[in-house]
Amino acid sequence: MRARHGGDTAIAEIRRHGVETMFTLSGGHVFPLYDGAVGDSDAKTEADAVPRILDVRHEQTAVFAAEATARLTRRTGLAVLTAGPGVTNGVSGITTAHFNGSPVVVLGGRAPLGRWGAGALQELDQPPLLAPVTKLAATAGGPDTLASDIARAFTTAAAPHRGPVFLDVHMDHLFGPAGPAREEGLPEPPERPADPERLDGVAALLKAARRPVLVLGSDVWMDGADEAAREFAEELRLPVVANGQGRGILPAGHELLVTRARGAAFGDADLVIVAGTPLDFRLGYGSFGDGSAKVVHLADAPCRLATHLRLAGSAAGDLSPLFGDLAAACAKAGVSPAAYADWRAGLYDAACAAIAGDIDLLASAADPIHPLRIYGELSRVLDDDAVVIGDGGDFVSYAGKYVEPRRPGGWLDPGPYGCLGTGLGYAIAARLARPAAQVVLLLGDGAAGLSLMDVDSLVRHRLPVVMIVGNNGSWGLEKHPMRMLYGYDVAADLQPHCRYDEVVRALGGAGELVTRPDGIGPALRRALGSGVPYLVNVATDPDVSYPRTTTGV
């Protein structure tokens, strides 16, 4: 029997928090964490480890995978990064988790305390770098506090409003003798009821309204309130616009889902109730109806309530009971869904008209290929429980508009931070979290260049994923606006028809280039049936740009 070390102490605590996968890239500073996970297994393999060790080709991918795990399972994800550049390579992933409110614990290696200040390899005081984008950034106190420090990290990450926590551990504390295990059980999360008076105020606003809209955002899903939100919307018969991971709470085709008519909904509403998402650039900073609409903000924690505008009402708390309590307050106030009937019917008709208006482009026979033809073909082969991931600018903007999930928890995109390169990490996590579901990763050709090497990770760990590249040979999100502003563009061109499919084949997967619209559907069916990482590289028309209405400024 080998002597127990600090890695054993850390892994024992990690297991108590139900972590199933440790996403990492090998580094000597954190070897004891790997040894603690493998334990005394005769096999000594990553897959046999508890938690499983899944190693990737770039530290950002490890953090993105941990973040996607949190967003898909609603449990805290774990990434382990070696010291120095291992940690700094993970900063974009940690920042993305911060903006998305994703509970992630990132354990970092740290140069040995016994050599601190002497110039040891990769000696860097890392927590100050992470403090602005984490709920907590700290260094473990030592062997005697390691278990409690890790417990604090997990508890802090999971407490609403959720977010990432960074904890680094001195190398000599991990390699040195094990400290004591923590004996206390995991604490029960405290109740978080919303203020009844505030809910009564929201109910009064709904009673007075004639043109209300309900916006459901990612935190509704993350707070486990998807069923309660749907019941609330259906009981009050409220038109719904879905945002982020709020998509799928009302499935595609639902009579109350009017996301495709969001322009009319936000332009003509007299009351907008925004639940589980910030009032940021994606929602016009909370200005609806030319600024005349009243705005209510519902959040999972008081710190998430908007402060940059005057709210007509607000409430914060556990969103699942909040929706139920708000429905009860509406019933007590005499709110009548019939009062919104004409408004609701008009928005539904507008949404249906918008969907009908897309039919020709979704079936476009244009050559070069119109990007929408890809989405028309994809809609025919997606299962109800598919996980669709978007990583890109112009090409993936179409996905946000034309891919409507049929179930909650089936959509992932980078979120409001807009960090490209999330795709392969998200795909790895999705395949692990939903082993029986289709996993489809949509990549712009620009985004593909930021993470495609991690196809190697998909291959090595036998994780079949379908990747679709919309290949227009440019940074389309920049090229077209720059031309509009200046009449020319620079630093926006990529290699036309670049063979990303051959990159995937070289890494052990499969793929093909599609240059004609009638080749898309057969290629997608081959990819979905292949059982391996498969990239469908579709050459699209470089002159077609997404008709966006916001620049995010």
Side-chain angles (χ1 to χ4, degrees), residues 24-30 59 80-87 107-109 122 126:
T24 192
L25 192 156
S26 187
H29 289 82
V30 292
E59 285 89 357
V80 171
L81 309 180
T82 197
V87 170
L107 294 182
Q122 295 165 347
Q126 296 156 157

Side-chain angles (χ1 to χ4, degrees), residues 135-340:
K135 295 182 70 177
L136 171 68
T139 299
D144 291 343
T145 66
L146 183 55
S148 59
D149 289 338
I150 290 174
R152 181 188 177 203
F154 276 92
T155 301
T156 302
H161 182 62
R162 300 162 186 83
V165 168
F166 175 77
L167 179 72
D168 62 8
V169 187
H170 284 289
M171 187 177 184
D172 43 355
H173 292 166
L174 283 177
F175 277 90
R182 206 172 55 85
E183 296 182 0
E184 310 95 280
L186 300 181
E188 288 293 324
E191 293 186 0
R192 300 178 287 117
D195 184 340
E197 291 187 7
R198 287 178 174 264
L199 296 180
D200 288 342
V202 177
L205 291 168
L206 275 165
K207 184 175 183 179
R210 290 298 175 265
R211 299 183 305 281
V213 175
L214 173 64
V215 178
L216 298 178
S218 296
D219 290 335
V220 176
W221 161 256
M222 290 299 297
D223 218 31
D226 42 299
E227 291 185 11
R230 177 172 176 168
E231 291 171 2
F232 173 73
E234 290 177 338
E235 184 173 340
L236 274 294
R237 308 294 296 158
L238 292 172
V240 170
V241 172
N243 174 280
Q245 282 193 281
R247 303 177 66 196
I249 293 176
L250 267 62
H254 195 288
E255 61 180 340
L256 295 176
L257 185 64
V258 298
T259 304
R260 290 302 311 279
R262 60 179 282 159
F266 289 160
D268 297 330
D270 61 3
L271 174 66
V272 180
I273 300 176
V274 177
T277 191
L279 292 163
D280 58 18
F281 69 92
R282 296 170 298 171
L283 294 174
Y285 303 101
S287 178
F288 306 106
D290 296 325
S292 62
K294 295 179 179 178
V295 180
V296 170
H297 202 189
L298 307 177
D300 63 353
C303 65
R304 297 299 290 172
L305 294 174
T307 58
H308 65 275
L309 77 163
R310 190 170 194 170
L311 297 170
S314 65
D318 187 333
L319 290 175
S320 190
L322 186 153
F323 281 115
D325 293 343
L326 181 54
C330 288
K332 182 177 68 175
V335 177
S336 172
Y340 321 137

Side-chain angles (χ1 to χ4, degrees), residues 27-54:
H29 289 82
V30 292
F31 277 177
L33 293 172
Y34 306 152
D35 187 53
V38 173
D40 296 319
S41 165
D42 291 334
K44 297 287 186 187
T45 67
E46 296 94 333
D48 291 333
V50 181
R52 173 179 180 168
I53 300 170
L54 196 146

